[in-house]
Amino acid sequence: MHILNFQYQDASKVDNGFWREIGVKSDAITETESILLSARIKAMLDSFKMPALLELCQLYDIAKMDNEESIKDQLRSLPLEQRHLILFLHDFSNRKKKSIYKYYDSLSLEETQYTKSSLAKLIHLYRINPVHLIQIFTWFLWDNRASGKLFVFDKNISSSVAYNIAREYNFHIQLRDALFQGSGSKNYYRVFSSSAVSNKVLILLYRLINDAPRPDFVTAPRNREVSPALFLIDVEKKTVEIKALTTEEISIKRYLEQTLGSPLSHVQTQVYTEYSKEIFINTIIKGSTTTAIGQPIEDFTVFKVRFRNSPLKNSPKVTLELDDLDIWPSVEEAHAQGAVNIESLKDLESLHFKSSEGSRLIKSTILDNGNVIFSMDDSNLDQFAKKAIEKKFVDKFGIPLYREISNEHFEEGKADKIDYLLTASSVEKPSPYERSIITSLKEQRILEENVTKYFYCLNCMIDYSYQDPEDVPNECDGCDGQQIKTKVGSVLSVNINEVYKFTKDRIKVESYAWFISRENELNLGPTKLRCMHLAAVQNEERQLQLVFADKSIKKSVLRYLNRQMKPTLLILIGQQERMIDYSDYSCVEPINFGKIYTKGEREFSSLLDDIYETLERRTKTYISAAANAAFQAISNLSEEKLSQKEYTDKMFEDHVFAILKDIFPNAEKWGKEMSGQEVPEGIFTISYRDDKENKVYQKVFSYDCKLNTNGKGYDLNISEQRKAVQYVNTLNQNDYIRAFSDRHQLSGHIFISNQFRENNFKTMSEHFYEHLDDSYDTQAVFLNVKVLCHLYDNFCKHSVKINNSRKIFYRDLFKALMAEQVTVSSIDNVLRKALDESLAEYKTLATNKVTLELKGP
């Protein structure tokens, strides 16, 4: 498919397709009835002033007249084809006047110039060559897109080759293929149009994003929807600006480097550090009276501001907006009320302002190195207006637009910088500030530098590593070249053991509010995570799990951590927190190690308190949702052969625990995270009061999950019997269980499976009777998943009634669990009394009847 410029190089080939390609509603114009067409021409001409009309007279060889109406009459009398063309070009000029004027003025036209009317300019250009309209259309799309990424060629480039990129079909094919391959052979591209004027080569590319029919008044045409990408080569300045997706940008950059024979470097300005932290903060929280230059800023009204986080619970984003009014008094009030605060440059996410240059959005971008860039959508802005806005912004806030700004003056910025340095394998030209951090991290052995020495031949450029200078030869073994050079390279890497030790030392401070209760390692397939379990000194029931990750975390691992239903702080080392979406993981809160590193000991304690409270609140609301999801997963669990790849024993354990946790809140799961220790899957308790005996009964059950995958029933063989008895004997000696249980031991050990072997019931019970310590009579109990799901289904359906009769429900449920086999009928017996409103301890108010009463007849 040829570029549009070539397709319509010959004026005789201009058709409706040409006009459609450049966005002109030509079909609607040509199908307009004569009377309506005349009315449309008249309305258009009525908007023209005399100088513009005189230019049209010149173009159409109409004798000059002093009377506007006479000129308009002459123009309305032009042949139908000419009138159609005028309307086509007028329609094309909509919203493109800036691009039309800029393009027209850039041409070196020897003929008469038209300066008063965009329509006259278009008629003039169309008569020279219709391709000029295609080029204007291309420039319009370029001008209408915000600034892209700017690169500079390291070497001189051939202007003829650069122009060939716009003109030659073979170059277009190569560019198209490069983009196709760069997308992983998924996206199709075409070079749609180009423009080569004033030492500038502009290319417009189309990416196919959809191919489907669209509804239409007459018939449904095929619509191949596209997304544009553009790049501009400035041959004189040796620069390239690319406005495209990141993957497209990479492919375009590689193509230009190969085609023009020069590497491209991203244009980077010196990082800006010369601003005052206090001034920046005050311009936000005292913005109605404070500016960086100490004087009011005229013609710059900020009416909307958005903050990335706030001091409110869960740190939500906060947006403040007023219609046509200055927002700063509202920001001051919000700060006084504790709703917003500025602790970093990045806290200011965006602002909308109005001025004589128009309404614009300024937003901040957080770079990987922790620095921040404030940028503005500068589409359709001339350079004078753009510079005026830039000056007002810097006068107001003391920081520039379009400049990388160091965030090092803020503690949050320091944390981001540490995360960046832990992420980077090397840092080119580190700033003094970055160098000082690297030195500190290396002294603490958190950051390690691995130095590699190598030599190479200037002729064949093959690298060889060496340890001792004597190992460097005088000449190359490959080509006998004698120009041998040596270099030293270094790679930075994180020592996760030292990160773990650093965090552990912080927690071990004597006056600390938290202590380490235990440590373990999670083995989740190829992923291994070190874990640290904390408990609060004042209240050991407040527990927080710390998980350390120095590699990217898979979704499956996050789902596992979430299914544990434990408040979990995921400490990311050398990773970017913003690269992972944690919105679906209520029990997991991510934090970069940089925040821990920069916090003082007391501040870190407070941070843990805040995180625990947030996670505890979210975890409580998550339990019912997790249990419902677990119910859906195992309610139809097959008794036939299962694929362990699709459904694993770990999933089964997590699902069972979620359901048990919702029914029995006082529950704990051990399972895989205490692998290698003689403990069952977990425990749960049942407590209820007997009013007749005026006594509280407190029961403890342990449980084990046994997923059967062969369709023959889980085999509780002699090895399983021995393990179960060992679990029970161990737990029965636990002081906390003995103190809690009214029988000073476990009431039962429950086996939960999707399918049992019936002959195991008797053998397991006999083994318990024979091998338990003489002072214990803990029973072996068998609970099929279908029975558990039947219990949970009714527990959810009748939650209000069960809550009103919770003494009866848990009393009778305990009795049902003390049978060797728990059955659907035994659960139904529990529910029969629990749902009997005549036995309910509490009554339910018929709130719907209250509502009807209030509404009246």
Side-chain angles (χ1 to χ4, degrees), residues 684 686 701-702 747-751 756 761-762 764-765 768 777-784 787 811-827 829-830:
F684 64 87
I686 296 179
F701 287 87
S702 57
S747 295
H749 179 73
I750 305 175
F751 298 93
F756 290 107
F761 299 157
K762 182 178 180 181
M764 180 64 77
S765 296
F768 262 57
D777 59 359
T778 304
Q779 293 183 221
V781 182
F782 302 90
L783 176 60
N784 191 285
V787 180
R811 180 198 67 190
D812 291 352
L813 183 57
F814 166 69
K815 292 177 181 177
L817 293 177
M818 289 304 291
E820 181 181 88
Q821 285 181 262
V822 185
T823 63
V824 170
S825 60
S826 65
I827 296 300
N829 286 333
V830 173

Side-chain angles (χ1 to χ4, degrees), residues 221-273:
R222 177 183 182 183
N223 176 250
R224 282 172 279 193
E225 190 177 354
V226 296
S227 177
L230 302 107
F231 65 90
L232 175 64
I233 305 171
D234 191 320
V235 178
E236 185 177 0
K237 295 181 179 178
K238 298 192 303 180
T239 61
V240 176
E241 186 174 358
I242 303 175
K243 299 181 180 182
L245 299 175
T246 302
T247 52
E248 295 169 346
E249 173 192 303
I250 293 169
S251 298
I252 292 169
K253 180 174 176 287
R254 187 182 297 120
Y255 167 81
L256 293 175
E257 288 176 331
Q258 293 173 351
T259 304
L260 293 170
S262 172
L264 278 168
S265 299
H266 185 228
V267 175
Q268 296 182 355
T269 57
Q270 187 175 0
V271 177
Y272 187 77
T273 60

Side-chain angles (χ1 to χ4, degrees), residues 6 88 114 169 172 191 269 402 512 566 584 633 711 745 747 794:
F6 292 163
F88 290 167
Y114 297 90
Y169 182 70
H172 302 160
V191 181
T269 57
Y402 308 110
Y512 219 67
K566 293 180 178 180
D584 294 333
Q745 62 171 313
S747 295
N794 283 278

Side-chain angles (χ1 to χ4, degrees), residues 637-642 652 706-716 752-758 760-761 783-786:
L637 200 59
S638 173
E639 291 186 352
E640 299 177 359
K641 189 174 182 179
L642 297 174
F652 185 57
K706 305 296 181 183
L707 178 67
N708 177 244
T709 58
N710 61 16
K712 299 178 181 179
Y714 197 92
D715 184 15
L716 295 171
I752 303 174
S753 178
N754 57 318
Q755 188 179 13
F756 290 107
R757 294 186 182 183
E758 291 190 8
N760 287 159
F761 299 157
L783 176 60
N784 191 285
V785 163
K786 290 184 177 179

Side-chain angles (χ1 to χ4, degrees), residues 434-444 447:
E434 290 173 332
R435 197 175 293 112
S436 66
I437 294 177
I438 292 173
T439 300
S440 297
L441 291 172
K442 286 167 67 175
E443 288 175 352
Q444 294 169 303
L447 203 58

Side-chain angles (χ1 to χ4, degrees), residues 392-491:
K392 291 171 185 176
F393 183 81
V394 73
D395 287 349
K396 170 64 179 174
F397 300 105
I399 55 174
L401 282 174
Y402 308 110
R403 181 87 178 267
E404 187 175 337
I405 308 169
S406 174
N407 203 14
E408 65 192 52
H409 300 315
F410 293 87
E411 186 176 288
E412 283 280 331
K414 294 177 183 177
D416 290 341
K417 183 65 71 176
I418 290 167
D419 292 325
Y420 163 68
L421 294 173
L422 294 179
T423 305
S425 58
S426 62
V427 182
E428 293 185 13
K429 300 179 181 179
S431 67
Y433 176 67
E434 290 173 332
R435 197 175 293 112
S436 66
I437 294 177
I438 292 173
T439 300
S440 297
L441 291 172
K442 286 167 67 175
E443 288 175 352
Q444 294 169 303
R445 295 190 298 176
I446 291 173
L447 203 58
E448 296 179 340
E449 185 175 22
N450 299 314
V451 178
T452 303
K453 299 177 181 179
Y454 63 96
F455 66 88
Y456 63 97
C457 170
L458 282 177
N459 185 37
C460 58
M461 298 301 291
I462 300 175
D463 296 341
Y464 303 91
S465 61
Y466 71 93
Q467 298 294 327
D468 195 300
E470 295 180 358
D471 298 333
V472 179
N474 295 321
E475 61 181 36
C476 178
D477 293 334
C479 66
D480 296 328
Q482 296 183 351
Q483 289 183 297
I484 304 298
K485 298 290 183 181
T486 61
K487 270 196 174 184
V488 175
S490 64
V491 176

Side-chain angles (χ1 to χ4, degrees), residues 512-761:
Y512 219 67
W514 295 82
F515 69 92
I516 301 171
S517 58
R518 64 187 178 91
E519 302 170 61
N520 70 299
E521 186 177 86
L522 280 177
N523 295 314
L524 304 173
T527 304
K528 294 184 179 182
L529 301 171
R530 295 190 68 174
C531 301
M532 192 184 296
H533 300 264
L534 309 183
V537 172
Q538 299 297 326
N539 181 2
E540 293 186 20
E541 292 184 2
R542 291 165 54 94
Q543 296 187 358
L544 183 64
Q545 178 179 232
L546 271 56
V547 177
F548 295 77
D550 62 341
K551 295 182 177 66
S552 59
I553 299 294
K554 294 182 179 179
K555 292 284 186 181
S556 59
V557 174
L558 285 170
R559 285 194 292 268
Y560 172 80
L561 293 174
N562 207 42
R563 287 199 304 266
Q564 286 185 304
M565 291 184 288
K566 293 180 178 180
T568 299
L569 180 62
L570 180 61
I571 300 174
L572 300 172
I573 308 155
Q575 298 180 70
Q576 294 295 320
E577 174 186 327
R578 61 187 175 86
M579 298 300 290
I580 307 176
D581 180 13
Y582 293 88
S583 57
D584 294 333
Y585 306 101
S586 303
C587 304
V588 180
E589 179 73 14
I591 186 174
N592 290 112
F593 175 68
K595 293 179 182 177
I596 296 176
Y597 187 87
T598 56
K599 293 287 184 185
E601 293 164 356
R602 298 284 184 182
E603 291 173 306
F604 185 42
S605 175
S606 177
L607 175 69
L608 292 178
D609 288 340
D610 293 341
I611 289 173
Y612 173 80
E613 290 177 7
T614 298
L615 285 170
E616 183 185 39
R617 189 164 51 249
R618 292 201 322 231
T619 302
K620 285 181 178 178
T621 60
Y622 173 74
I623 289 174
S624 294
N628 182 62
F631 171 77
Q632 298 297 330
I634 67 174
S635 57
N636 296 313
L637 200 59
S638 173
E639 291 186 352
E640 299 177 359
K641 189 174 182 179
L642 297 174
S643 169
Q644 291 187 343
K645 291 183 179 179
E646 295 176 3
Y647 192 79
T648 66
D649 54 351
K650 289 181 181 178
M651 294 178 183
F652 185 57
E653 294 164 6
D654 294 336
H655 290 149
V656 168
F657 176 68
I659 291 176
L660 293 177
K661 182 73 174 177
D662 204 17
I663 302 173
F664 311 104
N666 190 195
E668 180 78 0
K669 178 178 180 292
W670 297 314
K672 296 296 180 185
E673 62 182 280
M674 293 186 67
S675 179
Q677 301 183 46
E678 293 184 347
V679 293
E681 206 66 58
I683 58 173
F684 64 87
T685 71
I686 296 179
S687 300
Y688 60 89
R689 173 180 288 278
D690 190 315
D691 292 333
K692 185 177 180 180
E693 299 181 12
N694 194 26
K695 182 179 178 181
V696 174
Y697 287 93
Q698 298 182 156
K699 313 294 183 180
V700 184
F701 287 87
S702 57
Y703 72 93
D704 254 332
C705 297
K706 305 296 181 183
L707 178 67
N708 177 244
T709 58
N710 61 16
K712 299 178 181 179
Y714 197 92
D715 184 15
L716 295 171
N717 53 35
I718 189 64
S719 174
E720 293 283 351
Q721 294 168 15
R722 288 171 179 166
K723 281 197 298 184
V725 169
Q726 181 62 47
Y727 295 160
V728 172
N729 280 330
T730 299
L731 292 177
N732 280 344
Q733 296 170 24
N734 185 277
D735 291 336
Y736 293 102
I737 290 176
R738 292 173 61 85
F740 178 87
S741 171
D742 56 52
R743 299 179 65 245
H744 310 298
Q745 62 171 313
L746 296 176
S747 295
H749 179 73
I750 305 175
F751 298 93
I752 303 174
S753 178
N754 57 318
Q755 188 179 13
F756 290 107
R757 294 186 182 183
E758 291 190 8
N759 63 331
N760 287 159
F761 299 157

